[in-house]
Short mmCIF file of all heavy atoms in Angstrom, two decimals:
data_model
loop_
_atom_site.label_atom_id
_atom_site.label_comp_id
_atom_site.label_asym_id
_atom_site.label_seq_id
_atom_site.Cartn_x
_atom_site.Cartn_y
_atom_site.Cartn_z
N SER A 1 -114.40 -11.14 -59.33
CA SER A 1 -113.54 -10.28 -58.52
C SER A 1 -114.27 -8.99 -58.20
O SER A 1 -114.97 -8.45 -59.05
CB SER A 1 -112.26 -9.93 -59.26
OG SER A 1 -111.57 -11.09 -59.66
N PRO A 2 -114.10 -8.43 -56.99
CA PRO A 2 -114.71 -7.13 -56.71
C PRO A 2 -114.00 -6.03 -57.49
O PRO A 2 -112.78 -6.07 -57.68
CB PRO A 2 -114.51 -6.97 -55.20
CG PRO A 2 -113.38 -7.86 -54.85
CD PRO A 2 -113.37 -8.96 -55.86
N ALA A 3 -114.76 -5.05 -57.95
CA ALA A 3 -114.17 -3.90 -58.63
C ALA A 3 -113.68 -2.91 -57.58
O ALA A 3 -114.13 -2.93 -56.43
CB ALA A 3 -115.21 -3.25 -59.54
N ALA A 4 -112.75 -2.07 -57.98
CA ALA A 4 -112.13 -1.14 -57.05
C ALA A 4 -113.10 -0.14 -56.45
O ALA A 4 -113.10 0.10 -55.24
CB ALA A 4 -110.98 -0.42 -57.73
N ALA A 5 -113.93 0.46 -57.27
CA ALA A 5 -114.83 1.52 -56.79
C ALA A 5 -116.27 1.11 -56.98
O ALA A 5 -116.63 0.48 -57.94
CB ALA A 5 -114.55 2.81 -57.53
N GLN A 6 -117.09 1.50 -56.01
CA GLN A 6 -118.53 1.25 -56.10
C GLN A 6 -119.19 2.52 -56.61
O GLN A 6 -118.92 3.62 -56.09
CB GLN A 6 -119.09 0.83 -54.75
CG GLN A 6 -118.40 -0.38 -54.15
CD GLN A 6 -118.28 -1.56 -55.07
OE1 GLN A 6 -119.17 -1.87 -55.85
NE2 GLN A 6 -117.14 -2.24 -55.03
N PRO A 7 -120.06 2.42 -57.62
CA PRO A 7 -120.62 3.61 -58.24
C PRO A 7 -121.44 4.51 -57.31
O PRO A 7 -121.28 5.72 -57.32
CB PRO A 7 -121.52 3.05 -59.35
CG PRO A 7 -121.20 1.61 -59.46
CD PRO A 7 -120.51 1.20 -58.21
N GLN A 8 -122.32 3.92 -56.49
CA GLN A 8 -123.17 4.69 -55.58
C GLN A 8 -123.38 3.85 -54.31
O GLN A 8 -123.22 2.65 -54.35
CB GLN A 8 -124.54 4.92 -56.22
CG GLN A 8 -124.52 5.71 -57.49
CD GLN A 8 -125.92 5.72 -58.13
OE1 GLN A 8 -126.88 5.18 -57.61
NE2 GLN A 8 -126.03 6.35 -59.28
N PRO A 9 -123.75 4.50 -53.22
CA PRO A 9 -124.06 3.71 -52.01
C PRO A 9 -125.18 2.71 -52.32
O PRO A 9 -126.17 3.05 -52.94
CB PRO A 9 -124.51 4.76 -51.01
CG PRO A 9 -123.89 6.04 -51.48
CD PRO A 9 -123.84 5.94 -52.98
N GLY A 10 -124.97 1.48 -51.91
CA GLY A 10 -125.97 0.44 -52.14
C GLY A 10 -125.79 -0.31 -53.43
O GLY A 10 -126.50 -1.29 -53.69
N THR A 11 -124.84 0.12 -54.27
CA THR A 11 -124.53 -0.62 -55.49
C THR A 11 -123.15 -1.24 -55.35
O THR A 11 -122.28 -0.68 -54.68
CB THR A 11 -124.58 0.25 -56.75
OG1 THR A 11 -123.66 1.33 -56.62
CG2 THR A 11 -125.98 0.80 -56.98
N TYR A 12 -122.96 -2.37 -55.99
CA TYR A 12 -121.73 -3.13 -55.85
C TYR A 12 -121.34 -3.62 -57.26
O TYR A 12 -122.14 -4.18 -57.97
CB TYR A 12 -121.94 -4.33 -54.91
CG TYR A 12 -122.44 -3.87 -53.55
CD1 TYR A 12 -123.80 -3.70 -53.33
CD2 TYR A 12 -121.56 -3.54 -52.57
CE1 TYR A 12 -124.26 -3.23 -52.12
CE2 TYR A 12 -122.01 -3.06 -51.33
CZ TYR A 12 -123.37 -2.91 -51.12
OH TYR A 12 -123.82 -2.44 -49.92
N ARG A 13 -120.09 -3.35 -57.63
CA ARG A 13 -119.60 -3.71 -58.94
C ARG A 13 -118.62 -4.86 -58.83
O ARG A 13 -117.72 -4.84 -57.97
CB ARG A 13 -118.95 -2.53 -59.65
CG ARG A 13 -118.62 -2.82 -61.09
CD ARG A 13 -118.24 -1.63 -61.92
NE ARG A 13 -117.34 -0.76 -61.20
CZ ARG A 13 -117.31 0.55 -61.38
NH1 ARG A 13 -118.11 1.13 -62.23
NH2 ARG A 13 -116.46 1.29 -60.71
N LEU A 14 -118.78 -5.84 -59.70
CA LEU A 14 -117.93 -7.01 -59.74
C LEU A 14 -117.47 -7.24 -61.18
O LEU A 14 -118.19 -6.90 -62.13
CB LEU A 14 -118.71 -8.24 -59.26
CG LEU A 14 -119.33 -8.09 -57.88
CD1 LEU A 14 -120.56 -8.94 -57.74
CD2 LEU A 14 -118.32 -8.48 -56.82
N GLN A 15 -116.29 -7.80 -61.32
CA GLN A 15 -115.84 -8.14 -62.67
C GLN A 15 -115.85 -9.65 -62.78
O GLN A 15 -115.31 -10.37 -61.92
CB GLN A 15 -114.43 -7.62 -62.93
CG GLN A 15 -114.03 -7.80 -64.38
CD GLN A 15 -112.75 -7.07 -64.71
OE1 GLN A 15 -111.69 -7.55 -64.42
NE2 GLN A 15 -112.88 -5.88 -65.27
N VAL A 16 -116.50 -10.13 -63.84
CA VAL A 16 -116.66 -11.56 -64.07
C VAL A 16 -115.86 -11.93 -65.31
O VAL A 16 -116.01 -11.27 -66.36
CB VAL A 16 -118.14 -11.94 -64.25
CG1 VAL A 16 -118.29 -13.44 -64.46
CG2 VAL A 16 -118.98 -11.47 -63.06
N GLU A 17 -115.03 -12.96 -65.20
CA GLU A 17 -114.32 -13.47 -66.36
C GLU A 17 -115.28 -14.39 -67.11
O GLU A 17 -115.47 -15.55 -66.76
CB GLU A 17 -113.06 -14.23 -65.93
CG GLU A 17 -112.00 -13.31 -65.38
CD GLU A 17 -110.73 -14.02 -64.98
OE1 GLU A 17 -110.54 -15.20 -65.35
OE2 GLU A 17 -109.91 -13.40 -64.29
N THR A 18 -115.88 -13.82 -68.14
CA THR A 18 -116.84 -14.53 -68.98
C THR A 18 -116.09 -14.99 -70.22
O THR A 18 -115.87 -14.20 -71.11
CB THR A 18 -118.03 -13.63 -69.32
OG1 THR A 18 -117.52 -12.39 -69.81
CG2 THR A 18 -118.90 -13.36 -68.12
N GLY A 19 -115.72 -16.23 -70.26
CA GLY A 19 -114.91 -16.74 -71.35
C GLY A 19 -115.62 -16.76 -72.70
O GLY A 19 -114.98 -16.83 -73.73
N MET A 20 -116.96 -16.70 -72.66
CA MET A 20 -117.69 -16.74 -73.92
C MET A 20 -118.99 -15.95 -73.78
O MET A 20 -119.48 -15.71 -72.68
CB MET A 20 -117.95 -18.16 -74.36
CG MET A 20 -118.76 -19.00 -73.40
SD MET A 20 -118.84 -20.76 -73.81
CE MET A 20 -119.45 -20.76 -75.49
N ALA A 21 -119.50 -15.55 -74.90
CA ALA A 21 -120.75 -14.78 -74.94
C ALA A 21 -121.93 -15.69 -74.58
O ALA A 21 -121.89 -16.90 -74.79
CB ALA A 21 -120.95 -14.17 -76.32
N GLY A 22 -122.97 -15.09 -74.04
CA GLY A 22 -124.20 -15.83 -73.72
C GLY A 22 -124.75 -15.43 -72.37
O GLY A 22 -124.32 -14.46 -71.75
N GLY A 23 -125.73 -16.20 -71.95
CA GLY A 23 -126.38 -15.93 -70.66
C GLY A 23 -125.56 -16.49 -69.49
O GLY A 23 -125.10 -17.62 -69.54
N TRP A 24 -125.41 -15.66 -68.50
CA TRP A 24 -124.65 -16.02 -67.29
C TRP A 24 -125.51 -15.80 -66.06
O TRP A 24 -126.37 -14.94 -66.04
CB TRP A 24 -123.38 -15.17 -67.17
CG TRP A 24 -122.30 -15.59 -68.12
CD1 TRP A 24 -122.24 -15.31 -69.45
CD2 TRP A 24 -121.16 -16.37 -67.81
NE1 TRP A 24 -121.11 -15.86 -69.99
CE2 TRP A 24 -120.41 -16.52 -69.00
CE3 TRP A 24 -120.67 -16.94 -66.66
CZ2 TRP A 24 -119.24 -17.22 -69.06
CZ3 TRP A 24 -119.48 -17.65 -66.72
CH2 TRP A 24 -118.77 -17.79 -67.91
N ALA A 25 -125.23 -16.58 -65.02
CA ALA A 25 -125.87 -16.40 -63.70
C ALA A 25 -124.77 -16.04 -62.70
O ALA A 25 -123.74 -16.68 -62.66
CB ALA A 25 -126.58 -17.68 -63.26
N LEU A 26 -125.03 -15.01 -61.93
CA LEU A 26 -124.12 -14.58 -60.88
C LEU A 26 -124.81 -14.78 -59.54
O LEU A 26 -125.81 -14.11 -59.25
CB LEU A 26 -123.74 -13.12 -61.07
CG LEU A 26 -122.83 -12.48 -60.03
CD1 LEU A 26 -121.48 -13.20 -59.95
CD2 LEU A 26 -122.62 -10.99 -60.34
N SER A 27 -124.31 -15.71 -58.75
CA SER A 27 -124.86 -15.99 -57.41
C SER A 27 -124.04 -15.25 -56.39
O SER A 27 -122.81 -15.29 -56.42
CB SER A 27 -124.83 -17.50 -57.13
OG SER A 27 -125.58 -18.19 -58.08
N LEU A 28 -124.74 -14.58 -55.47
CA LEU A 28 -124.09 -13.74 -54.48
C LEU A 28 -124.66 -14.02 -53.10
O LEU A 28 -125.83 -14.32 -52.95
CB LEU A 28 -124.34 -12.25 -54.78
CG LEU A 28 -123.98 -11.75 -56.16
CD1 LEU A 28 -124.65 -10.42 -56.43
CD2 LEU A 28 -122.49 -11.60 -56.26
N SER A 29 -123.82 -13.83 -52.10
CA SER A 29 -124.25 -13.82 -50.71
C SER A 29 -123.77 -12.51 -50.11
O SER A 29 -122.69 -12.02 -50.42
CB SER A 29 -123.62 -14.98 -49.93
OG SER A 29 -124.06 -16.21 -50.44
N ALA A 30 -124.63 -11.89 -49.28
CA ALA A 30 -124.30 -10.61 -48.68
C ALA A 30 -124.60 -10.63 -47.17
O ALA A 30 -125.64 -11.15 -46.76
CB ALA A 30 -125.10 -9.49 -49.36
N LYS A 31 -123.70 -10.04 -46.42
CA LYS A 31 -123.91 -9.83 -44.99
C LYS A 31 -124.19 -8.35 -44.80
O LYS A 31 -123.47 -7.50 -45.30
CB LYS A 31 -122.68 -10.20 -44.16
CG LYS A 31 -122.55 -11.68 -43.89
CD LYS A 31 -123.74 -12.29 -43.27
CE LYS A 31 -123.70 -12.42 -41.80
NZ LYS A 31 -124.86 -13.07 -41.23
N ILE A 32 -125.26 -8.07 -44.07
CA ILE A 32 -125.69 -6.71 -43.84
C ILE A 32 -125.52 -6.40 -42.36
O ILE A 32 -125.91 -7.22 -41.51
CB ILE A 32 -127.18 -6.52 -44.26
CG1 ILE A 32 -127.31 -6.85 -45.75
CG2 ILE A 32 -127.68 -5.13 -43.93
CD1 ILE A 32 -128.73 -7.00 -46.20
N GLN A 33 -124.94 -5.22 -42.08
CA GLN A 33 -124.72 -4.84 -40.69
C GLN A 33 -126.04 -4.85 -39.94
O GLN A 33 -127.05 -4.31 -40.38
CB GLN A 33 -124.12 -3.44 -40.63
CG GLN A 33 -122.71 -3.39 -41.14
CD GLN A 33 -122.10 -2.01 -41.08
OE1 GLN A 33 -122.77 -1.05 -40.70
NE2 GLN A 33 -120.85 -1.89 -41.43
N GLY A 34 -126.03 -5.49 -38.76
CA GLY A 34 -127.19 -5.52 -37.91
C GLY A 34 -128.17 -6.65 -38.20
O GLY A 34 -129.14 -6.83 -37.48
N GLU A 35 -127.92 -7.43 -39.24
CA GLU A 35 -128.81 -8.55 -39.59
C GLU A 35 -128.09 -9.84 -39.29
O GLU A 35 -126.90 -9.98 -39.55
CB GLU A 35 -129.22 -8.51 -41.07
CG GLU A 35 -130.02 -7.30 -41.46
CD GLU A 35 -131.42 -7.28 -40.84
OE1 GLU A 35 -131.85 -8.29 -40.22
OE2 GLU A 35 -132.09 -6.24 -40.95
N THR A 36 -128.82 -10.82 -38.78
CA THR A 36 -128.21 -12.10 -38.43
C THR A 36 -128.14 -13.05 -39.63
O THR A 36 -127.26 -13.89 -39.68
CB THR A 36 -128.97 -12.78 -37.30
OG1 THR A 36 -130.35 -12.94 -37.69
CG2 THR A 36 -128.90 -11.97 -36.03
N GLU A 37 -129.06 -12.90 -40.56
CA GLU A 37 -129.10 -13.82 -41.70
C GLU A 37 -128.28 -13.29 -42.86
O GLU A 37 -128.07 -12.10 -43.01
CB GLU A 37 -130.53 -14.02 -42.17
CG GLU A 37 -131.33 -14.91 -41.26
CD GLU A 37 -132.61 -15.33 -41.93
OE1 GLU A 37 -133.09 -14.64 -42.83
OE2 GLU A 37 -133.12 -16.38 -41.57
N THR A 38 -127.86 -14.22 -43.72
CA THR A 38 -127.18 -13.89 -44.94
C THR A 38 -128.20 -13.77 -46.06
O THR A 38 -129.10 -14.61 -46.18
CB THR A 38 -126.15 -15.00 -45.29
OG1 THR A 38 -125.21 -15.08 -44.23
CG2 THR A 38 -125.44 -14.72 -46.60
N VAL A 39 -128.07 -12.74 -46.87
CA VAL A 39 -128.95 -12.55 -48.04
C VAL A 39 -128.28 -13.25 -49.21
O VAL A 39 -127.10 -13.02 -49.49
CB VAL A 39 -129.14 -11.05 -48.33
CG1 VAL A 39 -129.96 -10.85 -49.60
CG2 VAL A 39 -129.78 -10.35 -47.16
N ARG A 40 -129.05 -14.13 -49.87
CA ARG A 40 -128.52 -14.87 -51.02
C ARG A 40 -129.43 -14.59 -52.22
O ARG A 40 -130.64 -14.58 -52.09
CB ARG A 40 -128.48 -16.36 -50.72
CG ARG A 40 -127.44 -16.73 -49.69
CD ARG A 40 -127.42 -18.22 -49.38
NE ARG A 40 -126.33 -18.57 -48.51
CZ ARG A 40 -126.35 -18.44 -47.19
NH1 ARG A 40 -127.40 -17.96 -46.61
NH2 ARG A 40 -125.29 -18.78 -46.47
#
């Protein structure tokens, strides 16, 4: 889920429901103004 406030311009905070301790991977896609491609 996205967090309510972003700490600084260019940073993005998300909350992840991590049911257990350990290593996790967070996959993201981003659309940037003025760019045709999606950043993954």
Side-chain angles (χ1 to χ4, degrees):
S1 304
Q6 305 309 321
Q8 300 172 2
T11 59
Y12 304 87
R13 189 169 42 211
L14 305 152
Q15 188 170 81
V16 181
E17 290 182 13
T18 49
M20 60 189 306
W24 285 78
L26 177 60
S27 301
L28 306 163
S29 296
K31 279 306 264 183
I32 300 167
Q33 291 180 356
E35 297 292 352
T36 57
E37 286 193 336
T38 299
V39 176
R40 292 179 173 83

